[in-house]
Amino acid sequence: MTTRRTPEQLRSFRWFGPNDLRTFGQRSRLKQMGLGPEDWVGKPVVAILNTWSEINPCHLHFKILAENVKKGVLQAGGMPIEIPVLSLAENFMKPTTMLYRNLLAMETEEVLRSHPIDSAVLLGACDKTTPALIMGALSAALPFLFVPGGPMLRGQWRDQTLGSGTDAWKYWAELRAGKITQEDWCEIEDGIARSHGHCMTMGTASTMTAITETLGLTLPGASSIPASDARHWRMAAETGRQAVENAWTDLNPSLFLGKSAFRNAIVADMAVGGSTNAIVHLIAMAGRAGVKLPLEDFDTISRTTPRLADLRPAGRFLMEDFYFAGGLPATLAQVVDLLDGDCLTVNGKTLRENVADAKIWNAEVIRSRENPLSPEGGTAVLHGNLCPDGAVIKHSAMEPRFLQHRGPAVVFKNYPDLAKRLDDPTLPITADSVMVLQGAGPIGAPGMPEWGMLPLPKRLLEAGVRDLLRLSDARMSGTSYGACILHVAPEAAVGGPLALVQDGDIIALDVPARTLTLEVSDDELARRRAEWKPAPRHYERGYGALFLNEVTQANEGCDFRFLHANGQPTPEPAIH
């Protein structure tokens, strides 16, 4: 039987309950805000962490979303308090939102710990926002639920359905190849993002919210609901009611998220054909829960998990189609034998209970276990002398001819070098070459931006080439596609083997064997290493310097070392 707290056992009681000078000041300030004892006495305080911003189109509807959460909190007898936190606007923040994921995680942790909060509802959607909020909330170790912002409506251009990101890359290549006009391109710009909400492809945003639901941090089915659907508002209100219940029962995810839950999340990632970015974020999230999640786990699970969701960029359909086909619950129900169904979730039920009645309503969008898109997941982890600590490739979203490929390197020292020389007619590049970008990792870029889907030279595009083997220590957008080897670790900026690659070196990829090899002798590599010098640091002060000093490599999640769970919880704040 669930043990329920008394009002005196609520965390917020330490701020408002005692009869002393400090609590006098705190209660008087509540009254300054127009609140009375009937608003807080004997009631859990539920914080609503809102990442709304006028420069974040993915979160543009979060003001109304927060109001619906508040409605649910009030209905259940709680006291809602909305608190703004950093909004990571994927399209606008430079050099990359990945540079600031850990900053939002730090803010989330400290906001939750320092205020009179009994439970929290986290409002997020856009790529890095989801892992950042969860990383911080797990470190704060309070009951919390996550409300996904939902995908936007599908894009439309004439008779063509558009997927955000995916079709931007596709038609940009067609424009550079002279296959569409500038007028066509402008029309695509007008129609590719038609509503609020995150990308409606299975990019990083959709992948991370699906993973969050699988971890048990949302209500069942929450991650699949489109942002513009009224059911989204109702889900938000239900989440508010559940947050009050979880404050009373102390249903705290930091206490029930273990290794099995994170392995479940990897199964979900592979079944939906998720973003390569999920690997970096899941490792970081697991680290905050004190769980080690090595790269090998992703590859092992990928080899045994069928890909079921036919979603762009690795398939045909969009998130709205996915929702009406049964969404994530229907997908998980097909692979329930691969999951630890006994893992607890924030509604107090197990994952198995939450998906028990889920059905597929469109077998084209979500395949059955007996008729998968492929018998394996779409992501592979590579090892070899070029990536001693691993690299990642989404082989489900590339031309099959690259599954085993061997070709000469064409090396770019950094992104400005790439931009300057890409269309140089003297660039010695062919359809068999391997494009190599150095200096694009966590420290080198800095922040490990989504530069990994390197653009193809215009003359190759004009010749009909649409894919090329590309290699970097960067990430790529989850909405992107192509033969892109990513997350090479250690990165070039810290002297990883990637830094030693030169034009003409032969690079061999073998996806079935999971190998990536630089065919250069050890003696020659040793000679090059002796001559290698690191580039100057990007930052010497401020948050940027903190990032460079503390960030880990891609295979470790790019979190800050001093934020890793170490078995010693941060103490509750003293109230004097």
Side-chain angles (χ1 to χ4, degrees):
M1 184 175 178
T2 302
T3 301
R4 299 183 69 82
R5 290 171 163 179
T6 65
E8 292 75 23
Q9 291 174 319
L10 291 173
R11 186 172 179 270
S12 59
F13 185 83
R14 297 178 59 229
W15 275 260
F16 305 140
N19 184 22
D20 57 26
L21 177 61
R22 183 57 59 197
T23 52
F24 165 87
Q26 287 154 180
R27 291 192 300 262
S28 69
R29 295 304 183 178
L30 288 176
K31 292 178 178 180
Q32 180 184 13
M33 296 189 292
L35 301 171
E38 61 275 10
D39 289 304
W40 75 79
V41 172
K43 296 182 178 183
V45 177
V46 178
I48 302 167
L49 268 56
N50 194 346
T51 52
W52 173 87
S53 165
E54 285 189 345
I55 200 167
N56 192 338
C58 303
H59 298 186
L60 207 57
H61 55 307
F62 277 19
K63 282 187 175 182
I64 302 174
L65 193 62
E67 292 304 316
N68 280 273
V69 176
K70 290 177 187 177
K71 179 173 67 176
V73 172
L74 292 169
Q75 289 169 345
M79 176 181 168
I81 296 179
E82 183 179 351
I83 303 175
V85 290
L86 179 65
S87 189
L88 303 180
E90 187 69 25
N91 299 101
F92 299 106
M93 293 185 78
K94 303 300 177 187
T96 169
T97 51
M98 188 64 180
L99 186 67
Y100 300 105
R101 184 198 68 180
N102 297 346
L103 181 61
L104 174 55
M106 292 172 67
E107 182 183 22
T108 298
E109 176 180 352
E110 299 307 326
V111 162
L112 292 177
R113 182 178 290 114
S114 62
H115 288 94
I117 293 168
D118 298 303
S119 69
V121 175
L122 316 175
L123 306 188
C126 194
D127 295 16
K128 318 305 180 296
T129 307
T130 299
L133 290 168
I134 293 170
M135 289 160 65
L138 285 172
S139 295
L142 299 178
F144 72 90
L145 293 89
F146 189 86
V147 172
M152 69 176 90
L153 296 176
R154 69 183 186 189
Q156 194 73 31
W157 173 54
R158 298 173 184 170
D159 63 340
Q160 299 294 309
T161 299
L162 300 175
S164 50
T166 304
D167 285 308
W169 321 126
K170 172 185 172 181
Y171 286 110
W172 175 243
E174 297 304 310
L175 178 68
R176 297 185 71 229
K179 301 299 183 182
I180 65 171
T181 67
Q182 184 65 38
E183 182 181 359
D184 295 333
W185 179 244
C186 290
E187 288 181 14
I188 292 168
E189 180 181 312
D190 286 342
I192 201 167
R194 296 174 47 238
S195 75
H196 56 260
H198 63 68
C199 291
M200 79 303 260
T201 48
M202 184 50 75
T204 304
S206 297
T207 303
M208 292 312 301
T209 54
I211 280 172
T212 300
E213 181 177 334
T214 307
L215 286 170
L217 303 179
T218 77
L219 295 178
S223 68
S224 306
I225 307 172
S228 297
D229 195 303
R231 281 165 281 208
H232 202 264
W233 307 135
R234 300 201 292 272
M235 175 271 293
E238 185 182 354
T239 301
R241 294 190 290 271
Q242 188 69 55
V244 175
E245 175 66 14
N246 291 6
W248 286 120
T249 62
D250 194 25
L251 187 55
N252 184 343
S254 67
L255 301 179
F256 69 71
L257 272 189
K259 179 81 171 187
S260 293
F262 285 99
R263 289 181 66 86
N264 286 346
I266 300 174
V267 171
D269 176 31
M270 300 306 166
V272 300
S275 165
T276 50
N277 292 309
I279 296 176
V280 173
H281 297 319
L282 260 177
I283 292 171
M285 291 159 64
R288 296 302 187 95
V291 173
K292 297 288 186 182
L293 208 59
L295 279 178
E296 286 67 29
D297 284 3
F298 290 87
D299 199 67
T300 300
I301 294 172
S302 179
R303 287 181 182 271
T304 58
T305 303
R307 186 163 61 91
L308 303 178
D310 193 357
L311 299 170
R312 300 183 196 182
R316 297 174 292 166
F317 297 100
L318 298 172
M319 290 302 294
E320 199 171 346
D321 306 307
F322 183 62
Y323 173 64
F324 290 111
L328 185 68
T331 307
L332 295 181
Q334 291 296 308
V335 293
V336 71
D337 61 306
L338 301 178
L339 302 168
D340 183 344
D342 294 328
C343 287
L344 191 62
T345 72
V346 287
N347 69 345
K349 298 180 179 180
T350 65
L351 182 62
R352 182 182 292 107
E353 290 173 320
N354 285 341
V355 304
D357 298 325
K359 293 179 174 60
I360 296 173
W361 302 113
N362 186 331
E364 286 293 302
V365 180
I366 302 174
R367 299 295 187 91
S368 68
R369 182 68 176 276
E370 296 71 32
N371 184 35
L373 289 162
S374 65
E376 295 187 3
T379 305
V381 175
L382 309 171
H383 286 283
N385 69 340
L386 193 46
C387 53
D389 293 333
V392 173
I393 189 168
K394 188 171 182 177
H395 55 291
S396 61
M398 72 183 194
E399 293 182 5
R401 68 188 179 95
F402 291 111
L403 287 170
Q404 292 176 307
H405 184 82
R406 184 172 176 273
V410 178
V411 181
F412 301 94
K413 293 298 182 184
N414 47 46
Y415 205 90
D417 182 36
L418 170 72
K420 179 180 178 180
R421 296 195 294 124
L422 179 66
D423 291 330
D424 185 337
T426 66
L427 186 70
I429 191 167
T430 71
D432 293 323
S433 298
V434 181
M435 294 180 71
V436 176
L437 176 64
Q438 301 167 330
I443 292 173
M448 200 182 178
E450 293 178 345
W451 293 346
M453 58 282 195
L454 308 182
L456 305 190
K458 187 175 181 180
R459 61 185 171 86
L460 291 186
L461 290 170
E462 291 172 339
V465 176
R466 290 296 181 271
D467 203 358
L468 200 70
L469 189 58
R470 289 157 275 180
L471 172 67
S472 73
D473 44 13
R475 299 176 301 111
M476 78 173 182
S477 168
T479 66
S480 193
Y481 54 89
C484 302
I485 301 170
L486 311 158
H487 308 187
V488 170
E491 64 172 306
V494 298
L498 182 65
L500 310 179
V501 181
Q502 297 180 1
D503 285 340
D505 288 349
I506 300 300
I507 294 174
L509 168 67
D510 189 332
V511 174
R514 302 301 201 255
T515 59
L516 179 64
T517 307
L518 177 63
E519 296 183 356
V520 176
S521 71
D522 291 343
D523 288 345
E524 173 61 16
L525 290 177
R527 185 192 67 78
R528 294 180 188 180
R529 182 172 300 283
E531 295 177 353
W532 178 81
K533 295 180 180 179
R537 283 167 55 98
H538 288 272
Y539 302 110
E540 292 299 339
R541 62 165 303 278
Y543 173 74
L546 172 65
F547 185 95
L548 296 181
N549 290 340
E550 290 293 333
V551 71
T552 60
Q553 289 291 292
N555 61 300
E556 299 173 297
C558 296
D559 199 2
F560 291 161
R561 293 177 184 85
F562 70 90
L563 294 176
H564 289 182
N566 60 9
Q568 300 296 321
T570 302
E572 280 283 289
I575 302 175
H576 298 300

